[in-house]
Amino acid sequence: MEGMAGQKSSLAWAVNISAFLLVLLWTIPTLGLFVSSFRDRDQISTSGWWQSFSGSEQTGFVRSGVAGDQVQQDGLYVIEGSAVQGTQALKAWGTGARNPAEYQPGDTADLGDGISLTVAEDGAYRLTSAQPFEITRGERIFTTTVSPPSFTTENYNRVLTAGGLGRAFMNTMTVTIPATVIPILIAAFAAYALAWMQFPGRALLTACVVGLLVVPLQVALIPLLRLHNELGIGKGYLGIWLAHTGFGLPLAVYLLRNYMVGLPREVIESARVDGATEFQIFRRIILPLSFPALASFAIFQFLWVWNDLLVATVFLGNTREQLVMTGLLRELMGSRGGEWEILATSAFISIAVPLLVFFAMQKYLVRGLLAGSVKGG
């Protein structure tokens, strides 16, 4: 029979394909963001990141020289110049907006009145006439060019050398570390009580914790800020630590409680028989065995607090001395948020520390998330 111990389930291939698709769905946008962080504003606005590895095609126009630029050669009056810039390669050209790719490089166009225009493959144009030119505004030359792939580190240089980045980094660390440790300490005690201690109302408290998981934090921002002001806490590190602790506690208690419930009952009962107090059981048995769940929540809480902007803006402020990294990077994007190259670069700079935390503790993540999902017989 399929699905029994020691036999591979027939749905294993579906699970593998689903996992691969999920990884792909996360990897492709991340790759696009990474590539965009090395492109300038013009490249981002004119083409997608997937086109950055091949030449990008652009259409535009330039104006030829005027009468004052003409020279006389072999009985003809000539105006010369270049219709392309930098490393652009000419693909086609034209003399009107309706058909900007009417001619191929090297072709000659008759503009009338004895005037002819030739654009070479290297983009050099030659405007000739048997009579002296009297034009005061140059002729328009429409070009279709192909620019080779190009990348720049100017975006990273701009973000990394921005004023106040070091201070913002320290502010973010000052907020994130306590806001990760405090809820873990409180939630560990609460989870142990809900899992292994008998007292009236335990089930009701557990239901309240589950219910708080669905409460949007945006609903509590203003009432909580008013409470902080009434208590004299105001805007500062203590206020934001308490805010993040309150917002993170329901998930922490729920996750840790589910894990602790699945720990072997015999070990805990044996410790009680040997005369161990509840605190000794918690400190010497529960905490070491619950490290995967503690690490899982620490990863989630660290990522949430590190990337937070809303709570930091409400409870900490927007002065240069109080700005966290997300607030400083927001200012670098401009008042209208249109500098997409800065957004992409800032994203990768800001995730450097969370990535280190994730890879350092990833082996505990799955074990902690699956806590309580399977019960032993």
Side-chain angles (χ1 to χ4, degrees):
M1 295 178 61
E2 294 184 352
M4 296 181 62
Q7 296 186 6
K8 188 176 181 179
S9 173
S10 59
L11 295 178
W13 62 271
V15 174
N16 293 335
I17 293 178
S18 300
F20 174 77
L21 292 177
L22 287 175
V23 172
L24 196 63
L25 287 175
W26 279 99
T27 303
I28 292 179
T30 305
L31 175 62
L33 198 64
F34 178 71
V35 173
S36 297
S37 68
F38 290 97
R39 309 179 73 204
D40 58 34
R41 179 187 301 183
D42 294 336
Q43 291 174 326
I44 293 177
S45 61
T46 57
S47 62
W49 66 267
W50 57 90
Q51 298 174 310
S52 60
F53 302 103
S54 59
S56 59
E57 186 173 300
Q58 298 177 340
T59 300
F61 75 90
V62 296
R63 288 192 177 274
S64 67
V66 295
D69 301 319
Q70 64 184 323
V71 295
Q72 192 170 8
Q73 297 178 358
D74 301 329
L76 296 176
Y77 293 90
V78 179
I79 298 177
E80 295 180 323
S82 179
V84 297
Q85 298 177 350
T87 58
Q88 293 178 335
L90 184 65
K91 182 178 180 181
W93 65 279
T95 57
R98 293 185 177 180
N99 193 359
E102 182 178 1
Y103 303 101
Q104 296 299 312
D107 291 349
T108 299
D110 185 4
L111 304 184
D113 297 329
I115 301 175
S116 61
L117 173 64
T118 303
V119 181
E121 294 184 0
D122 60 357
Y125 67 83
R126 181 181 173 89
L127 196 62
T128 60
S129 174
Q131 302 296 326
F133 288 102
E134 298 180 356
I135 56 177
T136 57
R137 191 178 185 186
E139 298 285 346
R140 291 195 300 177
I141 306 174
F142 290 85
T143 59
T144 302
T145 58
V146 177
S147 299
S150 63
F151 300 96
T152 178
T153 58
E154 179 61 29
N155 299 333
Y156 283 93
N157 182 60
R158 178 179 173 184
V159 174
L160 291 175
T161 57
L165 183 64
R167 179 63 180 269
F169 178 83
M170 293 306 301
N171 290 344
T172 306
M173 295 295 291
T174 305
V175 171
T176 304
I177 294 177
T180 302
V181 175
I182 294 174
I184 289 179
L185 292 177
I186 299 175
F189 285 104
Y192 173 73
L194 293 176
W196 292 106
M197 296 179 68
Q198 301 295 330
F199 58 90
R202 187 179 68 164
L204 180 61
L205 284 177
T206 303
C208 290
V209 169
V210 175
L212 287 174
L213 289 172
V214 300
V215 177
L217 67 89
Q218 293 84 353
V219 175
L221 288 178
I222 301 304
L224 190 57
L225 180 60
R226 293 179 60 183
L227 176 62
H228 283 189
N229 291 332
E230 292 174 359
L231 296 177
I233 298 176
K235 288 191 174 184
Y237 288 119
L238 179 59
I240 195 171
W241 291 341
L242 294 177
H244 279 302
T245 298
F247 295 142
L249 270 178
L251 176 62
V253 174
Y254 178 75
L255 187 65
L256 294 177
R257 185 258 177 194
N258 282 357
Y259 191 91
M260 293 178 183
V261 166
L263 296 177
R265 178 180 296 272
E266 295 78 8
V267 176
I268 299 174
E269 291 179 349
S270 298
R272 287 173 176 164
V273 171
D274 292 338
T277 64
E278 295 293 344
F279 182 74
Q280 289 174 329
I281 295 174
F282 172 76
R283 183 171 62 89
R284 298 183 178 181
I285 298 177
I286 299 298
L287 281 184
L289 293 178
S290 301
F291 188 77
L294 294 172
S296 297
F297 175 74
I299 292 174
F300 282 115
Q301 183 70 357
F302 189 94
L303 294 178
W304 156 246
V305 178
W306 183 272
N307 294 320
D308 170 69
L309 175 61
L310 176 61
V311 177
T313 302
V314 173
F315 291 95
L316 196 58
N318 288 319
T319 64
R320 300 293 294 184
E321 292 73 21
Q322 294 177 314
L323 273 180
V324 293
M325 285 193 63
T326 50
L328 179 65
L329 298 177
R330 176 196 59 188
E331 291 191 352
L332 289 178
M333 289 179 58
S335 59
R336 298 184 180 180
E339 300 188 27
W340 297 106
E341 72 281 4
I342 298 300
L343 174 62
T345 306
S346 302
F348 271 87
I349 291 177
S350 64
I351 67 175
V353 175
L355 279 179
L356 292 177
V357 174
F358 176 78
F359 286 120
M361 307 179 72
Q362 63 173 332
K363 63 180 180 180
Y364 303 107
L365 179 62
V366 176
R367 291 167 57 186
L369 291 178
L370 296 180
S373 62
V374 180
K375 296 288 185 181

